[in-house]
């Protein structure tokens, strides 16, 4: 099933495709972006390319979706936002990654709020969670802004990460 597209006041979110591969790789290997992503060591370009190609060419994620985020007025890759399984936990995670040139402009919050609404309103998810590196204050601020609540540290992706969650019963569209 093809994921829907979304528009917000400023953004256009479209399903991520293989055409986004090079932009995703460039973003993933930006030192500022990768600061909190690769605590166990940065993968090689070939390793990261193989993972992304498998995801983009297949039916991943099985629940949710990954959307490329662009300005409505001037299209072009700025990053992505998505809903996807959190490891083997049975939980659905909201996550995002953006080019540093977009940071501080409300892009992450605006896109995540729209994707969160899709998760609760359209997919009827009962719970959406997120994890982030404990030092990544910017990402934690985005999660709080869209309504997720801190749940302390939890072990995922080989690390103790800051855990956030929001139940559909507590969801209030922004």
């Amino acid at each position: 099933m093809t994921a829907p597209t979304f528009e917000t006041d400023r953004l256009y979110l479209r399903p991520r495709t293989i055409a986004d591969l090079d932009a995703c790789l460039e973003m993933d290997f930006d030192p500022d972006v990768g600061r909190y992503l690769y605590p166990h060591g940065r993968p090689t370009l070939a390793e990261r390319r193989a993972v992304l190609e498998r995801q983009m060419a297949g039916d991943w994620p099985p629940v949710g979706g990954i959307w490329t985020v662009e300005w409505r007025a001037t299209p072009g890759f700025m990053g992505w936002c998505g809903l996807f399984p959190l490891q083997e936990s049975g939980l659905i995670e909201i996550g995002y990654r953006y080019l540093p040139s977009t940071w501080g402009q409300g892009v992450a919050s605006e896109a995540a709020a729209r994707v969160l609404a899709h998760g609760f309103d359209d997919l009827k998810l009962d719970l959406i969670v997120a994890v982030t590196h404990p030092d990544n204050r910017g990402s934690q601020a985005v999660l709080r802004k869209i309504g997720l609540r801190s749940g302390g540290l939890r072990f995922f992706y080989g690390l103790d990460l800051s855990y956030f969650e929001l139940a559909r019963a507590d969801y209030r569209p922004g």
Side-chain angles (χ1 to χ4, degrees):
M1 184 172 95
T2 302
T5 60
F6 304 114
E7 290 188 4
T8 67
D9 288 343
R10 303 180 305 152
L11 306 175
Y12 179 66
L13 287 73
R14 60 172 175 77
R16 186 172 72 172
T17 69
I18 198 72
D20 298 310
L21 178 63
D22 289 338
C24 284
L25 286 168
E26 184 176 333
M27 178 179 63
D28 286 355
F29 281 85
D30 179 287
D32 290 327
V33 173
R35 179 177 30 186
Y36 301 119
L37 297 178
Y38 307 114
H40 303 299
R42 187 178 300 272
T44 67
L45 181 60
E47 290 167 339
R48 187 68 186 137
R49 178 180 293 278
V51 168
L52 286 174
E53 284 177 342
R54 276 193 309 276
Q55 289 177 349
M56 292 174 174
D59 289 335
W60 193 88
V63 175
I66 305 289
W67 291 268
T68 291
V69 179
E70 304 175 325
W71 292 117
R72 283 179 57 187
T74 53
F77 181 91
M78 294 193 304
W80 59 261
C81 185
L83 292 168
F84 43 88
L86 175 60
Q87 284 193 315
E88 310 296 318
S89 67
L91 299 169
I92 298 298
E93 174 182 6
I94 187 168
Y96 38 81
R97 193 170 300 162
Y98 293 96
L99 296 169
S101 62
T102 69
W103 296 356
Q105 299 180 53
V107 171
S109 299
E110 189 172 332
R114 182 61 191 95
V115 168
L116 188 73
H118 173 64
F120 287 130
D121 297 339
D122 303 325
L123 300 178
K124 305 298 184 198
L125 298 172
D126 290 323
L127 182 71
I128 296 176
V129 304
V131 293
T132 184
H133 192 282
D135 295 336
N136 192 342
R137 303 288 183 228
S139 186
Q140 292 167 32
V142 169
L143 295 171
R144 286 186 180 96
K145 185 173 183 178
I146 65 169
L148 276 75
R149 296 182 183 100
S150 177
L153 294 177
R154 303 240 181 128
F155 192 78
F156 290 103
Y157 303 114
L159 292 171
D160 284 324
L161 297 172
S162 296
Y163 174 86
F164 291 79
E165 68 179 21
L166 181 61
R168 182 165 25 135
D170 298 323
Y171 171 64
R172 303 291 175 260

